[in-house]
Amino acid sequence: MDKSIVEQCREYYPMTFYADSLSEILFLVNRVREQKDPIFHLEPIPLIIKQIHYYNDIGLKQFYCGCSTVFLLLLATVNILLSYLIAALVLVLLTAISFFCYCSLQRYKSNLRNELITIENKLASRQYGIKDKLESNSTPKPSNLLLDSLAARENIYNFKIDDSANKGLSESYFLSYLHKWFCYPWRIIEHCQFQGERYTPTADFILINDDLKLGIDLEIDEPYTIKESMPIHLVEDRKYIIRDKFFLTLGYIVIRFAEYQIAKYPDYCCLHIVRVLNQFLDRDMKISVPQATEIQPLKPQDWRVKTWTLKEAKIMSERKIRDSYLEPIRSFIKDRE
């Protein structure tokens, strides 16, 4: 049996998973966007060489028809003078056919010349043809698609606030960045405990747009606990797969960041969330980078973080790897005390 995307794509952070209803919207929107991309083409280039060749070829044929008409007309005149009436009649008929061909080629040549002049004018004024594969009124708006599928995401509100939940070391730090990037109509809610029949997970953060019922479950994964040095968030631990599937069933997008990414690149983590959300938003609703926020381009090897196994988490715990990147977070917490 084939594994689901949630089970397959767990090699690197950030992990990003979409609920089925949202995946269908993305598929439709992206397909239409591909079809709507304008096609820029320089129409005279392949056409003008071919037509100039035809124009010259027609001129040569017209010359031959003109010469034939004159020659046949002279022969017909001679035969009339010599009283060869039958031969003269045939020659007159051939002369008429030749003259008709000459006139037809002249008309075609004239039309072709006008077309060549039009092409040359386009080249001179750099007018290029632009074609759209679809009419603009056939493009579905992402917001309309979201509203049409609201029933699939009504369960995103099936939670209560869990004040007793333990707050991770990096959560307050990242929350300050989330508030900077996401304002109304977006809401950021901490420690939402969801109600399932046998399963009640608590999300680190929930980011919700109430108008569109568009929500993201944001998770921050650490390799081990600070106090007990106990390995956690292991890639082979299926409880995290079950957890992610639970949120996807409710209609959420799930994004998992490594704590290292939050500590080192908090703005870039927010930018990743924005890119995910903007796929579903109309142009006037898209989220932009906050003022006075500089985003440095990152290479994939600088940005992504490999997930860890039990053995790798134990090694990181022994080497106290979290201490090497938590200084910005600890300084933030100290300043707030």
Side-chain angles (χ1 to χ4, degrees):
M1 189 176 187
D2 292 339
K3 292 183 178 180
S4 65
I5 295 295
V6 179
E7 294 172 284
Q8 293 179 45
C9 302
R10 306 190 78 84
E11 187 175 359
Y12 291 98
Y13 291 98
M15 303 179 195
T16 306
F17 306 113
Y18 299 91
D20 287 343
S21 60
L22 297 175
S23 295
E24 292 171 3
I25 292 173
L26 271 187
F27 174 77
L28 180 58
V29 170
N30 290 334
R31 186 183 65 181
V32 171
R33 281 174 181 164
E34 288 176 3
Q35 293 175 331
K36 277 292 294 177
D37 284 340
I39 301 172
F40 295 87
H41 59 92
L42 186 61
E43 47 184 357
I45 295 302
L47 189 63
I48 192 167
I49 297 173
K50 187 176 181 181
Q51 291 194 336
I52 285 176
H53 171 75
Y54 285 160
Y55 184 79
N56 295 331
D57 187 53
I58 290 169
L60 185 61
K61 290 178 180 178
Q62 187 185 21
F63 173 76
Y64 289 149
C65 285
C67 292
S68 299
T69 301
V70 173
F71 178 72
L72 290 170
L73 183 59
L74 290 174
L75 282 180
T77 303
V78 170
N79 279 275
I80 290 173
L81 293 175
L82 295 176
S83 301
Y84 298 143
L85 297 181
I86 296 177
L89 184 61
V90 171
L91 288 170
V92 168
L93 181 61
L94 292 175
T95 301
I97 293 173
S98 180
F99 182 72
F100 176 78
C101 291
Y102 175 86
C103 293
S104 298
L105 288 171
Q106 178 62 35
R107 284 195 300 271
Y108 185 74
K109 184 180 177 182
S110 178
N111 292 335
L112 190 56
R113 178 176 176 78
N114 292 334
E115 191 174 345
L116 285 170
I117 291 172
T118 301
I119 291 172
E120 289 171 357
N121 290 336
K122 282 189 176 184
L123 280 173
S125 60
R126 300 183 64 81
Q127 293 179 2
Y128 303 123
I130 303 175
K131 290 185 179 179
D132 285 338
K133 289 185 179 179
L134 293 178
E135 296 296 331
S136 58
N137 57 9
S138 67
T139 305
K141 294 182 69 174
S143 58
N144 291 340
L145 295 173
L146 282 170
L147 294 175
D148 290 342
S149 62
L150 283 182
R153 300 190 309 284
E154 283 295 339
N155 290 330
I156 64 173
Y157 294 107
N158 190 21
F159 63 82
K160 63 180 181 180
I161 305 301
D162 184 7
D163 295 325
S164 64
N166 294 324
K167 183 175 288 189
L169 192 61
S170 57
E171 288 182 23
S172 297
Y173 177 73
F174 191 44
L175 182 61
S176 66
Y177 283 87
L178 290 175
H179 281 306
K180 179 178 72 170
W181 279 75
F182 301 97
C183 54
Y184 182 83
W186 296 95
R187 286 196 300 148
I188 307 161
I189 312 173
E190 296 182 83
H191 302 137
C192 303
Q193 186 180 60
F194 284 79
Q195 309 302 311
E197 292 183 4
R198 301 180 182 179
Y199 189 49
T200 57
T202 300
D204 289 345
F205 298 105
I206 294 298
L207 182 64
I208 290 181
N209 183 310
D210 294 312
D211 296 330
L212 300 174
K213 301 291 190 296
L214 182 59
I216 295 186
D217 165 38
L218 299 172
E219 302 292 337
I220 304 173
D221 291 355
E222 310 91 351
Y224 59 90
T225 60
I226 290 289
K227 292 183 179 180
E228 301 88 1
S229 295
M230 182 178 68
I232 52 176
H233 299 120
L234 308 176
V235 68
E236 67 265 37
D237 195 339
R238 288 196 60 83
K239 73 179 180 183
Y240 298 109
I241 296 175
I242 295 171
R243 177 191 176 92
D244 292 343
K245 285 184 175 180
F246 176 86
F247 283 101
L248 293 176
T249 301
L250 296 180
Y252 275 95
I253 301 169
V254 177
I255 301 181
R256 287 187 171 274
F257 294 108
E259 183 187 51
Y260 174 84
Q261 294 171 316
I262 299 297
K264 297 285 286 185
Y265 312 110
D267 279 316
Y268 209 84
C269 292
C270 291
L271 179 62
H272 177 76
I273 300 170
V274 166
R275 286 170 172 168
V276 169
L277 289 173
N278 279 348
Q279 297 175 99
F280 300 94
L281 303 179
D282 300 334
R283 181 175 298 179
D284 58 338
M285 300 173 65
K286 289 188 183 296
I287 306 165
S288 56
V289 177
Q291 291 184 352
T293 301
E294 294 185 5
I295 303 293
Q296 296 296 328
L298 293 176
K299 297 179 181 178
Q301 59 266 30
D302 296 330
W303 162 238
R304 67 182 185 178
V305 172
K306 189 180 182 302
T307 53
W308 45 83
T309 62
L310 175 61
K311 181 178 179 180
E312 290 168 336
K314 287 181 177 179
I315 293 173
M316 287 190 280
S317 173
E318 292 169 0
R319 296 179 180 176
K320 299 187 182 300
I321 196 72
R322 292 181 70 185
D323 293 340
S324 66
Y325 60 76
L326 283 178
E327 184 55 36
I329 296 176
R330 286 179 171 144
S331 297
F332 171 82
I333 295 174
K334 185 177 179 180
D335 291 341
R336 295 188 62 181
E337 292 177 352

